[in-house]
Amino acid sequence: MVRWFITIFIAVIVFSAALPWLEKFGIGRLPGDIRFKLFGKTIFLPFASTVLLSSAIFLLARLF
């Protein structure tokens, strides 16, 4: 259980760091991604981007 929490935590950090680069390709601006401001901070919930990236990684893993 702890391994899954660490894996998810690392994946969120990597996705957050790569988000400016991925937005150039349209990932992060998909219809299912939610972005709103709350108390002066921008909150970003990338639901559609997460599904798209996880599907792509799954297909690559199945290919190899």
Side-chain angles (χ1 to χ4, degrees):
M1 183 91 168
V2 173
R3 276 194 263 170
W4 281 107
F5 285 126
I6 292 171
T7 303
I8 291 171
F9 181 71
I10 290 172
V12 168
I13 289 173
V14 168
F15 186 73
S16 297
L19 190 61
W21 181 73
L22 291 173
E23 283 182 342
K24 293 178 184 177
F25 298 109
I27 296 174
R29 291 182 279 151
L30 297 173
D33 296 336
I34 299 171
R35 199 179 286 227
F36 58 93
K37 283 194 168 202
L38 185 66
F39 302 116
K41 295 196 179 214
T42 302
I43 309 287
F44 179 61
L45 303 171
F47 294 122
S49 295
T50 303
V51 170
L52 179 69
L53 288 175
S54 64
S55 298
I57 291 169
F58 174 75
L59 289 174
L60 283 174
R62 294 286 289 184
L63 183 66
F64 295 116

